[in-house]
Amino acid sequence: MKRHRSPKQAFELYKQKKKMCLAEEKRIKGGIFRKVLRPLLRFVLFMQRKLCGFKVEFINKALETTPKPRIFAVSHIGKWDFEIVNEIIKPQFYTLAADFMNMNGKLSGFFMNAFGVIFVDEYDKEDRHNTKELLKLYLKQGNNLMMFPEAAWNFSENEIIYDISWGCVEAAIDANAVIVPISVEQFGKRFVINVGRNFTPSEKETSIVELRDAMATMKWEIWDREKITTRRELPYDYWERFIRERIAEWPGYSIHEQITNTYIPRAKKEYFEVLRDMRRLKISSKNAFLIMGLDMFIKTYTTHEGIYSGGEHGSSES
C-alpha cells in the first residue's frame, strides 16, 4: 500500500531528488516528450483563456532568434500571467516557481509538471543555492527557462517593476544564455503583453539595473498606449479592489505569501529599519537634530564659520 505523504513531506522529498540530480549532473528526463507535447498544451491554454473570457493584446509579440538558450524574464501581475505568456511562447521552457505547497496534488500542479517546472523553497538557504545551480545546469544543457524576477505579484502603487535579485542575470552570465524581457499588464480580463529584445548580461551589478529598466520601460509603453485616466475618475477604493481581484484569482494563496516572497535589497531593508526605529524614537533635547530641517540644524549646530559648535548639546570641535 502506497504511503500517503503530507505536502511538507512531499516537498522535502522533491528537494532531496533535486539535490541528487544536481550532484550527478543528470540530463533532464522527459525533455523531448515535453517538446512534442507543447503544441497540445498551448492549445489547452488557448481554450482555457477563451472559456475564461480573457483577451490578449500585444505591443510586440515577436521573439528574436538566437542559438543560445533563453531566459524569459516576465513581470508578475497575478496568477494568470503564467498561463497567458506560456500560451504565446512557442519554444519549450522550464519555469521557476515557489508554489509547491499550493500546487502539490492539484490539477494546476499536474499541468505545471507537464510544461516543466523547477520548484524552490524560498525559506531554505540550501535549496535556494541548489536551485540556482540547477538552473545553470538546465541552461547549459540547452534548455530555456521562464523566471519572474520580481518573485511576487506586483502590488505596489508606485514601483513599475519591483527590485529584482541577482538570480536571473547570474544564471544567464554563467550559462552564456540571453534574457528575453517580457512585460505584462492586466486590465480586468484584458492582458497587454510587450516582448523585448534579447538582452545579453555582462556584469551583475550593471546588468540587473539594465534588465529592471528594460522591463519598466516596456511596461510604461503598455500604460502609454492606454487611455489616460485622471485621479478623479478612479473609484475611491480602486487599489483595494485591485488587490481583492488578484487574491480572488487563487483561493488559498494568501497576500502574506506574496509579501514574504518579495525581494528587498539590503540597502532598502536598512532604510526601512531606520524608518521603523524613527517611529519608535522618543524625541529629547539630545536627539532633536534627527528631525530638524536643514536651516534649523545649521542654526543650532554650526557657527557662522561653518565649524561644528554643538551648543548646549555638545562641546565645540574643529
Side-chain angles (χ1 to χ4, degrees), residues 62-76:
L63 291 173
E64 292 185 333
T65 58
T66 176
K68 297 181 178 181
R70 289 179 279 202
I71 299 177
F72 302 106
V74 185
S75 68
H76 216 1

PDB file of all heavy atoms in Angstrom, residues 62-76:
ATOM      1  N   ALA A  62       6.921  39.423 -31.313  1.00  0.00           N
ATOM      2  CA  ALA A  62       7.967  38.637 -31.968  1.00  0.00           C
ATOM      3  C   ALA A  62       9.136  38.355 -31.030  1.00  0.00           C
ATOM      4  O   ALA A  62       9.601  39.236 -30.296  1.00  0.00           O
ATOM      5  CB  ALA A  62       8.468  39.364 -33.206  1.00  0.00           C
ATOM      6  N   LEU A  63       9.611  37.108 -31.052  1.00  0.00           N
ATOM      7  CA  LEU A  63      10.823  36.727 -30.340  1.00  0.00           C
ATOM      8  C   LEU A  63      11.998  36.777 -31.300  1.00  0.00           C
ATOM      9  O   LEU A  63      11.921  36.254 -32.411  1.00  0.00           O
ATOM     10  CB  LEU A  63      10.698  35.309 -29.785  1.00  0.00           C
ATOM     11  CG  LEU A  63       9.712  35.058 -28.647  1.00  0.00           C
ATOM     12  CD1 LEU A  63       9.625  33.562 -28.362  1.00  0.00           C
ATOM     13  CD2 LEU A  63      10.142  35.801 -27.400  1.00  0.00           C
ATOM     14  N   GLU A  64      13.072  37.418 -30.872  1.00  0.00           N
ATOM     15  CA  GLU A  64      14.278  37.434 -31.700  1.00  0.00           C
ATOM     16  C   GLU A  64      14.932  36.053 -31.663  1.00  0.00           C
ATOM     17  O   GLU A  64      14.938  35.381 -30.629  1.00  0.00           O
ATOM     18  CB  GLU A  64      15.268  38.480 -31.187  1.00  0.00           C
ATOM     19  CG  GLU A  64      14.794  39.911 -31.376  1.00  0.00           C
ATOM     20  CD  GLU A  64      15.862  40.914 -30.971  1.00  0.00           C
ATOM     21  OE1 GLU A  64      16.706  40.585 -30.110  1.00  0.00           O
ATOM     22  OE2 GLU A  64      15.844  42.024 -31.489  1.00  0.00           O
ATOM     23  N   THR A  65      15.480  35.648 -32.788  1.00  0.00           N
ATOM     24  CA  THR A  65      16.133  34.349 -32.857  1.00  0.00           C
ATOM     25  C   THR A  65      17.510  34.403 -32.201  1.00  0.00           C
ATOM     26  O   THR A  65      18.143  35.460 -32.155  1.00  0.00           O
ATOM     27  CB  THR A  65      16.290  33.891 -34.316  1.00  0.00           C
ATOM     28  OG1 THR A  65      17.053  34.877 -35.039  1.00  0.00           O
ATOM     29  CG2 THR A  65      14.932  33.733 -34.983  1.00  0.00           C
ATOM     30  N   THR A  66      17.946  33.280 -31.695  1.00  0.00           N
ATOM     31  CA  THR A  66      19.267  33.168 -31.080  1.00  0.00           C
ATOM     32  C   THR A  66      19.631  31.692 -30.973  1.00  0.00           C
ATOM     33  O   THR A  66      18.762  30.855 -30.741  1.00  0.00           O
ATOM     34  CB  THR A  66      19.300  33.809 -29.684  1.00  0.00           C
ATOM     35  OG1 THR A  66      20.584  33.588 -29.092  1.00  0.00           O
ATOM     36  CG2 THR A  66      18.229  33.227 -28.783  1.00  0.00           C
ATOM     37  N   PRO A  67      20.911  31.352 -31.164  1.00  0.00           N
ATOM     38  CA  PRO A  67      21.327  29.956 -30.979  1.00  0.00           C
ATOM     39  C   PRO A  67      21.539  29.613 -29.509  1.00  0.00           C
ATOM     40  O   PRO A  67      21.715  28.439 -29.165  1.00  0.00           O
ATOM     41  CB  PRO A  67      22.658  29.888 -31.742  1.00  0.00           C
ATOM     42  CG  PRO A  67      23.207  31.286 -31.658  1.00  0.00           C
ATOM     43  CD  PRO A  67      22.002  32.198 -31.682  1.00  0.00           C
ATOM     44  N   LYS A  68      21.487  30.601 -28.633  1.00  0.00           N
ATOM     45  CA  LYS A  68      21.750  30.390 -27.219  1.00  0.00           C
ATOM     46  C   LYS A  68      20.457  30.035 -26.481  1.00  0.00           C
ATOM     47  O   LYS A  68      19.360  30.374 -26.926  1.00  0.00           O
ATOM     48  CB  LYS A  68      22.351  31.654 -26.594  1.00  0.00           C
ATOM     49  CG  LYS A  68      23.705  32.048 -27.161  1.00  0.00           C
ATOM     50  CD  LYS A  68      24.224  33.296 -26.458  1.00  0.00           C
ATOM     51  CE  LYS A  68      25.593  33.692 -26.973  1.00  0.00           C
ATOM     52  NZ  LYS A  68      26.115  34.897 -26.268  1.00  0.00           N
ATOM     53  N   PRO A  69      20.571  29.381 -25.338  1.00  0.00           N
ATOM     54  CA  PRO A  69      19.372  29.178 -24.504  1.00  0.00           C
ATOM     55  C   PRO A  69      18.861  30.517 -24.015  1.00  0.00           C
ATOM     56  O   PRO A  69      19.622  31.484 -23.879  1.00  0.00           O
ATOM     57  CB  PRO A  69      19.887  28.308 -23.348  1.00  0.00           C
ATOM     58  CG  PRO A  69      21.371  28.524 -23.326  1.00  0.00           C
ATOM     59  CD  PRO A  69      21.771  28.772 -24.746  1.00  0.00           C
ATOM     60  N   ARG A  70      17.557  30.565 -23.717  1.00  0.00           N
ATOM     61  CA  ARG A  70      16.939  31.831 -23.339  1.00  0.00           C
ATOM     62  C   ARG A  70      16.304  31.746 -21.952  1.00  0.00           C
ATOM     63  O   ARG A  70      15.787  30.705 -21.555  1.00  0.00           O
ATOM     64  CB  ARG A  70      15.860  32.226 -24.363  1.00  0.00           C
ATOM     65  CG  ARG A  70      16.420  32.654 -25.687  1.00  0.00           C
ATOM     66  CD  ARG A  70      15.329  33.003 -26.686  1.00  0.00           C
ATOM     67  NE  ARG A  70      14.773  31.820 -27.317  1.00  0.00           N
ATOM     68  CZ  ARG A  70      14.139  31.832 -28.489  1.00  0.00           C
ATOM     69  NH1 ARG A  70      13.978  32.969 -29.147  1.00  0.00           N
ATOM     70  NH2 ARG A  70      13.651  30.731 -29.006  1.00  0.00           N
ATOM     71  N   ILE A  71      16.344  32.880 -21.262  1.00  0.00           N
ATOM     72  CA  ILE A  71      15.592  33.041 -20.025  1.00  0.00           C
ATOM     73  C   ILE A  71      14.515  34.081 -20.293  1.00  0.00           C
ATOM     74  O   ILE A  71      14.824  35.242 -20.560  1.00  0.00           O
ATOM     75  CB  ILE A  71      16.487  33.519 -18.858  1.00  0.00           C
ATOM     76  CG1 ILE A  71      17.590  32.502 -18.571  1.00  0.00           C
ATOM     77  CG2 ILE A  71      15.645  33.749 -17.609  1.00  0.00           C
ATOM     78  CD1 ILE A  71      18.562  32.955 -17.483  1.00  0.00           C
ATOM     79  N   PHE A  72      13.265  33.662 -20.237  1.00  0.00           N
ATOM     80  CA  PHE A  72      12.152  34.596 -20.404  1.00  0.00           C
ATOM     81  C   PHE A  72      11.889  35.239 -19.047  1.00  0.00           C
ATOM     82  O   PHE A  72      11.408  34.577 -18.119  1.00  0.00           O
ATOM     83  CB  PHE A  72      10.920  33.874 -20.935  1.00  0.00           C
ATOM     84  CG  PHE A  72      11.146  33.181 -22.247  1.00  0.00           C
ATOM     85  CD1 PHE A  72      11.257  31.798 -22.318  1.00  0.00           C
ATOM     86  CD2 PHE A  72      11.257  33.918 -23.415  1.00  0.00           C
ATOM     87  CE1 PHE A  72      11.469  31.159 -23.525  1.00  0.00           C
ATOM     88  CE2 PHE A  72      11.476  33.284 -24.644  1.00  0.00           C
ATOM     89  CZ  PHE A  72      11.586  31.902 -24.695  1.00  0.00           C
ATOM     90  N   ALA A  73      12.246  36.511 -18.908  1.00  0.00           N
ATOM     91  CA  ALA A  73      12.084  37.243 -17.652  1.00  0.00           C
ATOM     92  C   ALA A  73      10.780  38.024 -17.714  1.00  0.00           C
ATOM     93  O   ALA A  73      10.677  39.026 -18.424  1.00  0.00           O
ATOM     94  CB  ALA A  73      13.269  38.179 -17.422  1.00  0.00           C
ATOM     95  N   VAL A  74       9.783  37.558 -16.972  1.00  0.00           N
ATOM     96  CA  VAL A  74       8.405  38.062 -17.108  1.00  0.00           C
ATOM     97  C   VAL A  74       8.012  38.870 -15.873  1.00  0.00           C
ATOM     98  O   VAL A  74       8.260  38.454 -14.739  1.00  0.00           O
ATOM     99  CB  VAL A  74       7.418  36.898 -17.306  1.00  0.00           C
ATOM    100  CG1 VAL A  74       6.008  37.425 -17.565  1.00  0.00           C
ATOM    101  CG2 VAL A  74       7.883  36.002 -18.454  1.00  0.00           C
ATOM    102  N   SER A  75       7.384  40.019 -16.088  1.00  0.00           N
ATOM    103  CA  SER A  75       6.843  40.785 -14.964  1.00  0.00           C
ATOM    104  C   SER A  75       5.664  40.016 -14.376  1.00  0.00           C
ATOM    105  O   SER A  75       5.002  39.243 -15.066  1.00  0.00           O
ATOM    106  CB  SER A  75       6.415  42.186 -15.415  1.00  0.00           C
ATOM    107  OG  SER A  75       5.298  42.118 -16.285  1.00  0.00           O
ATOM    108  N   HIS A  76       5.393  40.266 -13.091  1.00  0.00           N
ATOM    109  CA  HIS A  76       4.416  39.426 -12.370  1.00  0.00           C
ATOM    110  C   HIS A  76       3.262  40.293 -11.867  1.00  0.00           C
ATOM    111  O   HIS A  76       3.448  41.115 -10.969  1.00  0.00           O
ATOM    112  CB  HIS A  76       5.117  38.750 -11.201  1.00  0.00           C
ATOM    113  CG  HIS A  76       4.644  37.358 -10.932  1.00  0.00           C
ATOM    114  ND1 HIS A  76       3.679  36.713 -11.684  1.00  0.00           N
ATOM    115  CD2 HIS A  76       5.003  36.459  -9.975  1.00  0.00           C
ATOM    116  CE1 HIS A  76       3.485  35.506 -11.217  1.00  0.00           C
ATOM    117  NE2 HIS A  76       4.270  35.324 -10.173  1.00  0.00           N
TER     118      HIS A  76
END
